[in-house]
Structure formats: C-alpha cells, structure tokens
Amino acid sequence: MNASHVLDHFDRISDAPDAIPRLRRFIIDLAVRGKLVEQNPNDEPVSELLKRIQAEKARLVKEGQSIQDKALAPIDENEVPFKLPATWRLVRLRNITSYIQRGKSPKYATNDGLPVVSQKCVQWHGLDLASAKLITRESIDEYDDVRFLQDRDLLWNSTGTGTIGRIIRVRKPAGKLVCDSHVTVVRCLEVDAEYVRSWLSSDHVYGSIEDRAAGSTNQVELTSEMASNQIVPLAPIAEQHRIVAKVDELMALCDRFKAAQVERESRRDKLVTASLHRLNNGANADEFREHARFHFHQLPRLTTRVEHIQQLRQTILNLAVRGKLVPQDPVDEPASELLKRIHAEKVQMIREGKATKDPKLPPIDENEAPFDLPQGWTWARFPELGIFGRGRSKHRPRNDASLFEGGTHLFVQTGDVARSNGVIETYTSKYNDIGLAQSAKWPNGTLCITIAANIADSGILSFDACFPDSVVGFIPVPLFPSARYFEYFIRTAKADLLEFAPATAQKNINLGILNAVLIPLPPLAEQHRIVAKVDELMALCDRMEAQLTTTQTESRRLLEAVLHEALNVDTKVS
C-alpha cells in the first residue's frame, strides 16, 4: 500500500485513538523525506540556490544587517536518518538563514507596556499574545532593529518541558514585537520558511528534542549554537514550494477528517446520553424493558470509548438501587419485616458483646428521601444494618518503623480502596503485633469507605486487615450473605457524599454524615436477584471494555503498519 492509498482509505484505520495526529506527523515525514511530491529534474539545482544565499548573506553583512558566519563543522551524511533524493542537499540551518538568535530578558512593566513573546505564547496553532507579559515602552528603544520580529520569522521554543522544540512561523507581526530569552528567532534567507518549519517540527527534530527533554532530570535547552548546527535536508526552491502547498492541502484534509470525527462522536455521545436517560427514567416496567432492549442491542455501535462503558456501569448501578433492574415479586418478604429481624439480630449481638449499641438516629422522614421506592422496599441506615465504624491507627507518627518491622498483619490505606474496583486485593504494608495493638483488625468481607483524600471510594476486603481512621468499615449482620449490594449503593451515592466534604485542601467527611445516609433497602430475595444481575451486567461491561481495548490496539497497530509501509516505498502522493 503506498502513501496515496493511506489517505484514500483512511477511514479503515481512523479508529485508532491517535489516528489524526499520527496522520499529520506522517504527512510531515513524507514531506521532509522527499516522498510527498515528485522531483522535477528541470528545477533549479540546490547548488544555485546556495550560491544566491551566500551572495545575499555577503550583502547583508556588508550593510550591517547580519553577522559573518562562524565556521561550521563539516556535515556527515550519516547525520540524516534516511536517504535524500538525488536533487537534494544536506545543509546546516545557519547556511540558509541570516539570523539565529535567542531573545533577551526584558524589563517587565507592571501595568502599561508592550507584549513580549515567551514560550507560553508559541502555540502550535500560532502566536498567542493573550498570555504575554509586558515590557516597558522605554526599554523597546534598547533593542537593535534586527531583534524585532519580521514576517516569516520562525519562533523556536528553547526551554521548558512540554514546550521545548515547538516551532511556528510569524505572519505579519503588528508593531514592535520581541522575544524573551526562552525563544530562538530563526530568520530564513531565500528558502521557504514554511518548508524549514516543517522539517524542524518533524519527529526527526522536534521528536528527538522533546524525548530528550522528557527523559532528563536537568533543564534541557536549545542553544543558538545547537540551532545553528541543526541539519536541514534542502530541496530545490521550486520543490520546497510544491511541498508546502501539498502539506497545506493535506493538513486541510486532516482538518476535515477531524471535524467529521468530532461530529460523528458528538452524535454518538448524544445517542448514548439519550438512551441512558430513557433507561433511567422509564415510566413503567414495559417501557423500561423496551428501552433496555434497544440499548443493549445497540451496545456495539454505541460504545466506542471507555467513557461510554463507564456511563453504562453507573446507569446499571443507579437502576439497581432504585428497583428498576429486576422485577419485584409480591411474594418476597417486605424490607420492613427484614428490618425487624435485623434489629433482633443486632440486639442479640450486643448481648453477646459482638457489637456496640447504635448511635441515636432521628426517625427517617421519607419526604426528604432522594427518590420514591418500589413496593416492598424501605429506607435504612448503615448503623441499623450491621457494625459500622472508623478504622484505627492511634500511634504517631503513623509510619513509625517500630509498628511494621517483621509485620504479618495486613494494613490497608485509602489508596488501596480507591484502586480496588469493588474488591480490595492490595495492601500498603504489614503491622507487627505492636502495630496491631494500636489499631484493629477487620474481617474479610468488610465494606471499606474512604472519608479522606479520595472521598467515598469503596471496596470489600478480600482478606482480614487493619485500616486507619480515614477509612470507615461496615460489616452487615449475618442475615446478609455479603456487603455487595451496599458497595454498589455507595458507588451511586458517591457524588452526593462529596457535596458534604468541606472545601479544604484535604477534603473529608465525618462518620456522622455517613451515619445519616439513607440506603434504599429491597427485600432480601430481591437483593439477591439485584446483585446477581449487576454482576452479570458488570461482566458484560468488562468484556466490552476488553474488546474496545483490543479493537483500539489493533487499529493502532494497523495504522502504524500501514504508515511504516508507505514510508518505505518510493511512491509519491499525487
């Protein structure tokens, strides 16, 4: 498959998550390798272009508008990572410019002044002066004329992780505009500045600078000397113009691809939102089943991003705790009777010393409940349904090595709960007996809820463990087979619980807030059916997410393979 086929059949590989940015880089790569347009043997040779550049440089030096070039190191043909077309020549950037110089640190103004271009102003879409600092109007007179930006100047970011190597072309700057010391000005001579910018923004230059900056612990800088010595594969001037025109054309095509992709995703997002809204707001059981049938039938088309599956998971949980996921059975024992049995069981546990008395809670006002419950359901609170309390870690400092040396008692932190995805399978450290003595061990099956750092994250312990007072534990009475239903409920209530957290640097909620949380309690038999259905649908979501990941990975591999093949043939885009 050649380069033209890549563009003609781009829809086949456009499902890759980074397809459009990768296509843009591909176009630039073709351009700077001489594979984007045909070479024309009738074009003026590069040697003649270089003669004109040298003559113009001599004139500018004589008139004081440029400085005499320093001797540059000879070019090793191995410095460029690909074979040049026969009509091209390898030069250094200083050979084809009249001026390469980093800006200088200005005198900043407090109020009124003139903008100065910094690395933040150099954005890929162009020059953004909205964030520019100001320099005093008086200091502008201290700048030599050569420092004022001109049309077609290239601005090359010289410092800053995430910005170094970014390069743009100036288009008719208004007024006297200068750069600070974080930006290098490159003024091309007799060559197409946009062609040079394409090379300097390619993966061969920009990519290597960005990688070096990202992998360094020190400040990486692009010095004027480094810029001057940068190699440039130089095409004949006529071919440079053809390359720039073709790049512009294909970048406009990428813009259309991107716009179509955004529009397609927007329509899909709206359809997903509307479908989930109908699921959440079905007027009756028949209407709900119809919406559910439609949504799950259309799942392969609707779910193209992980966010879609996350929305579906949340919808499933919302339906579950509102009694809309499985049908009610009038034969089931009402939850009100279940509460009576739970109360009796708790009284017995208190007598046996297995539980403490519940905190005094006010009667539930159903007018304050967040939604109406199905027939047979009732509202309840955590302390009424089992053992509910904060973890413990009394010793300070908590990371005292004497608590952990030779430890065997697993110790869970808020981070373990946050990344548990419902089942806590990791632990932060291990207490020894001293550590255990100042803490408390909770049994396998305990529901953990975070009340600091990550608010209202939840998970069920898969082992006996200790945890600090930033985590609340809930052990349902033995009438309940597990805490699964309650963990699902906490996931749906998380957003509301966050609203209770004070607006401080470390958000947290207290046990009193959790004590008052209203839990929609279904009949025990229906609770079993709900958990089973949620498990089934979550497994479906897991499979969909795995398939989506597989599809995206395959699309990315296909994209890379196709682009690699196109880069390694000698065909051109016509």
Side-chain angles (χ1 to χ4, degrees):
M1 179 179 288
N2 62 31
S4 61
H5 288 155
V6 174
L7 299 173
D8 291 341
H9 303 287
F10 185 67
D11 279 347
R12 293 179 55 203
I13 52 179
S14 62
D15 285 337
D18 57 349
I20 302 298
R22 185 66 186 88
L23 179 60
R24 293 185 191 276
R25 296 197 301 273
F26 166 71
I27 291 167
I28 294 297
D29 210 1
L30 287 177
V32 301
R33 288 169 180 259
K35 294 185 175 185
L36 196 62
V37 299
E38 297 285 351
Q39 278 79 51
N40 188 338
N42 295 322
D43 287 341
E44 176 194 62
V46 173
S47 57
E48 293 301 313
L49 172 60
L50 290 174
K51 288 178 184 177
R52 288 208 315 278
I53 292 173
Q54 288 302 315
E56 181 62 12
K57 282 187 124 178
R59 184 186 69 79
L60 292 173
V61 170
K62 186 176 181 180
E63 296 179 359
Q65 298 180 45
S66 184
I67 59 174
Q68 188 69 43
D69 285 348
K70 296 180 181 179
L72 299 172
I75 295 176
D76 183 343
E77 290 293 335
N78 293 325
E79 286 187 65
V80 69
F82 50 82
K83 183 180 179 181
L84 291 180
T87 57
W88 291 32
R89 293 291 180 272
L90 202 59
V91 299
R92 298 206 184 275
L93 188 59
R94 173 64 74 179
N95 297 141
I96 56 173
T97 57
S98 62
Y99 180 74
I100 298 179
Q101 184 66 50
R102 285 177 68 163
K104 65 178 184 177
S105 299
K107 296 177 182 178
Y108 290 108
T110 54
N111 293 309
D112 184 44
L114 298 171
V116 59
V117 176
S118 68
Q119 60 192 33
K120 291 182 179 179
C121 301
V122 179
Q123 303 292 329
W124 281 122
H125 59 76
L127 195 58
D128 179 12
L129 294 179
S131 60
K133 291 184 177 180
L134 302 178
I135 60 175
T136 61
R137 294 181 180 275
E138 295 77 17
S139 66
I140 206 72
D141 296 330
E142 301 175 9
Y143 284 84
D144 297 330
D145 287 345
V146 71
R147 285 192 177 272
F148 296 127
L149 296 186
Q150 301 177 14
D151 186 34
R152 300 174 63 250
D153 279 351
L154 301 179
L155 305 185
W156 204 357
N157 274 347
S158 304
T159 62
T161 303
T163 61
I164 189 171
R166 186 182 296 169
I167 187 165
I168 64 169
R169 179 164 66 90
V170 176
R171 300 174 187 272
K172 298 180 180 178
K176 293 184 174 181
L177 198 59
V178 294
C179 295
D180 70 11
S181 59
H182 298 287
V183 178
T184 297
V185 179
V186 177
R187 190 163 293 151
C188 294
L189 192 61
E190 298 291 321
V191 297
D192 193 313
E194 187 61 26
Y195 170 82
V196 176
R197 190 199 70 80
S198 293
W199 164 249
L200 297 179
S201 65
S202 72
D203 285 347
H204 302 288
V205 181
Y206 170 72
S208 63
I209 294 173
E210 188 182 41
D211 289 344
R212 194 165 72 247
S216 174
T217 57
N218 300 317
Q219 176 73 17
V220 175
E221 292 197 20
L222 175 67
T223 65
S224 295
E225 182 180 2
M226 290 168 61
S228 296
N229 283 282
Q230 174 61 55
I231 59 167
V232 179
L234 192 66
I237 187 64
E239 187 175 346
Q240 291 178 38
H241 295 329
R242 294 197 300 273
I243 289 171
V244 169
K246 177 57 74 171
V247 168
D248 287 345
E249 175 190 337
L250 295 178
M251 289 301 175
L253 177 62
C254 286
D255 290 341
R256 293 197 294 275
F257 277 145
K258 181 63 176 177
Q261 195 177 64
V262 169
E263 176 61 25
R264 186 169 63 249
E265 287 301 315
S266 176
R267 289 198 302 267
R268 186 177 283 119
D269 287 345
K270 289 176 181 177
L271 180 58
V272 169
T273 300
S275 180
L276 294 178
H277 177 77
R278 287 196 298 269
L279 273 177
N280 277 306
N281 296 277
N284 53 56
D286 290 339
E287 187 175 318
F288 167 75
R289 281 193 291 271
E290 182 61 30
H291 293 327
R293 191 178 300 111
F294 169 81
H295 189 87
F296 284 98
H297 180 69
Q298 298 296 329
L299 275 178
R301 297 180 184 178
L302 293 175
T303 52
T304 57
R305 298 204 311 272
V306 172
E307 302 94 284
H308 294 154
I309 300 174
Q310 291 170 343
Q311 292 170 8
L312 178 59
R313 290 184 192 274
Q314 195 62 34
T315 296
I316 290 167
L317 295 174
N318 288 337
L319 293 171
V321 301
R322 284 164 172 74
K324 295 183 176 182
L325 196 62
V326 299
Q328 279 76 51
D329 188 338
V331 177
D332 290 343
E333 175 194 56
S336 57
E337 294 301 314
L338 172 63
L339 266 184
K340 292 177 183 178
R341 291 201 290 135
I342 292 171
H343 177 71
E345 189 167 11
K346 284 208 67 179
V347 169
Q348 184 61 32
M349 292 172 66
I350 293 169
R351 285 176 183 167
E352 296 173 357
K354 297 178 181 178
T356 58
K357 288 186 178 181
D358 293 342
K360 289 185 178 180
L361 298 172
I364 293 175
D365 183 355
E366 295 199 5
N367 292 323
E368 296 179 358
F371 50 84
D372 294 332
L373 293 177
Q375 190 71 29
W377 289 45
T378 192
W379 292 104
R381 290 168 289 205
F382 278 116
E384 300 168 334
L385 302 173
I387 297 172
F388 192 60
R390 295 176 72 167
R392 193 165 68 221
S393 184
K394 293 180 178 180
H395 187 81
R396 296 294 186 275
R398 287 183 175 175
N399 62 349
D400 188 338
S402 66
L403 303 177
F404 301 97
E405 291 174 349
T408 58
H409 308 288
L410 305 186
F411 179 62
V412 167
Q413 289 276 34
T414 54
D416 298 299
V417 182
R419 58 177 169 266
S420 70
N421 195 28
V423 179
I424 301 171
E425 298 180 321
T426 66
Y427 55 88
T428 300
S429 52
K430 295 179 181 180
Y431 275 147
N432 54 27
D433 290 343
I434 297 172
L436 178 62
Q438 55 84 56
S439 186
K441 186 175 287 188
W442 294 72
N444 179 351
T446 298
L447 169 61
C448 296
I449 306 169
T450 61
I451 59 173
N454 305 298
I455 301 297
D457 284 332
S458 58
I460 297 174
L461 286 176
S462 62
F463 43 72
D464 297 351
C466 305
F467 44 78
D469 56 7
S470 55
V471 177
V472 171
F474 171 64
I475 306 172
V477 297
L479 279 171
F480 296 106
S482 74
R484 295 281 291 284
Y485 173 81
F486 303 102
E487 198 277 324
Y488 289 149
F489 162 72
I490 282 294
R491 293 196 215 178
T492 69
K494 180 176 180 176
D496 293 330
L497 291 176
L498 284 172
E499 293 178 2
F500 289 104
T504 59
Q506 171 98 339
K507 282 195 168 188
N508 60 78
I509 55 179
N510 58 42
L511 187 61
I513 291 172
L514 282 176
N515 281 337
V517 169
L518 295 180
I519 303 170
L521 187 67
L524 191 56
E526 184 174 347
Q527 188 180 134
H528 295 332
R529 297 195 298 273
I530 289 171
V531 169
K533 178 57 72 173
V534 170
D535 289 348
E536 175 191 339
L537 295 177
M538 289 300 174
L540 172 63
C541 289
D542 290 342
R543 292 195 297 273
M544 289 168 52
E545 200 163 314
Q547 182 58 49
L548 181 59
T549 300
T550 299
T551 299
Q552 290 177 341
T553 300
E554 290 174 350
S555 296
R556 187 182 288 112
R557 287 175 179 169
L558 175 61
L559 175 65
E560 292 299 324
V562 168
L563 298 186
H564 180 268
E565 181 183 356
L567 279 173
N568 289 280
V569 294
D570 290 328
T571 51
K572 306 292 188 295
V573 176
S574 58

